[in-house]
Amino acid sequence: MSRILVVEDERHLAEGLRFNLEADGYAVQVAETGEAAIEAVTSASPSFDAMVLDVMLPGKDGFTVISELRQAGQFLPTLMLTARGHPNDVLQGFAAGADDYLTKPFELSILIARIGGLLRRREWLEGRMRNISEKPGPKDVFTFGDKSLHFDALELRVRDQVFRLTLMEANVLSYLVQHEGKPVSRKALLEDVWGLHEDTDTRAIDNFIVRLRRYIEDDPTKPRHLLTVRGVGYRFFSSPAKVKE
Ligand code: CA
């Protein structure tokens, strides 16, 4: 049974989420403050499988919570609940390490579908991990130049540096690598990687790409691997020599 931590200080909403998630077969724990959330995640045994994290909380807010957890090496898949009319919240949430977001107010059925999506993406990565031990393949570790993407460990290694990737970062990079050399539209990334967010601001994708460039480009202002395809989206090249611009 998957275990979900719901971090929400509005008690009626927290209990509504608990009721509906439990009805869907999840085990649910509720934390009402940012501090309680960090305590719950770091002390949980077994660990949680996913977290629903509200932005507006007493004490530490949701951005601080996710950012502190990521810095402490806690990478549980996290869906943030942001306020409508605050598009910067979405960008700030992804920058802090969120994997997905939903704008309040939301339909419970959509929230439950998103949680299922987060868990499936995690299983997909774990499935890849199991496949490695059976038959090592080039897709589990992808090397380009002096960088290597370790999808099993959610890491990017650049020379002697190791960058931890969130689940969503690893999935976006994996998708781009699988489509190497071909233009990938923002819509395709939204639908295939994020899981169909008709309400998603495409700037969330662009912001994500800016973050990924900081990891994989020697000079993020002059990308050689992760190029913008004007009016379409993005294109990944493992070898900068292929770039003709
Ligand atoms: Ca709140």
Side-chain angles (χ1 to χ4, degrees), residues 8-10 54 56 104:
E8 172 58 77
D9 59 309
E10 288 167 60
D54 189 30
M56 298 295 286
K104 282 181 164 182

Side-chain angles (χ1 to χ4, degrees), residues 37-108:
I38 290 170
E39 168 65 21
V41 170
T42 49
S43 66
S45 178
S47 52
F48 290 101
D49 297 290
M51 171 166 67
V52 177
L53 177 62
D54 189 30
V55 169
M56 298 295 286
L57 295 166
K60 286 180 179 172
D61 67 13
F63 301 126
T64 308
V65 169
I66 189 67
S67 158
E68 288 189 7
L69 285 173
R70 294 311 191 218
Q71 277 163 27
Q74 294 283 349
F75 282 80
L76 83 160
T78 297
L79 174 107
M80 288 197 83
L81 301 178
T82 66
R84 190 172 291 283
H86 292 80
N88 283 336
D89 280 7
V90 175
L91 304 184
Q92 198 179 340
F94 281 126
D99 295 295
D100 200 356
Y101 78 96
L102 204 53
T103 307
K104 282 181 164 182
F106 52 82
E107 296 280 341
L108 274 167

Side-chain angles (χ1 to χ4, degrees), residues 218-230:
D218 293 329
D219 178 356
T221 63
K222 295 193 183 77
R224 307 300 311 273
H225 294 292
L226 189 37
L227 305 190
T228 299
V229 183
R230 202 160 297 144

Side-chain angles (χ1 to χ4, degrees), residues 177-221:
V177 164
Q178 282 166 32
H179 295 82
E180 188 184 352
K182 301 186 193 102
V184 170
S185 69
R186 290 179 180 82
K187 184 169 178 286
L189 280 170
L190 282 175
E191 291 182 358
D192 297 345
V193 185
W194 253 268
L196 242 188
H197 292 201
E198 57 291 333
D199 58 344
T200 305
D201 187 335
T202 54
R203 277 179 299 175
I205 292 273
D206 297 333
N207 182 61
F208 224 81
I209 297 292
V210 168
R211 287 176 62 195
L212 295 178
R213 279 180 178 148
R214 278 191 215 123
Y215 298 141
I216 68 169
E217 300 288 355
D218 293 329
D219 178 356
T221 63

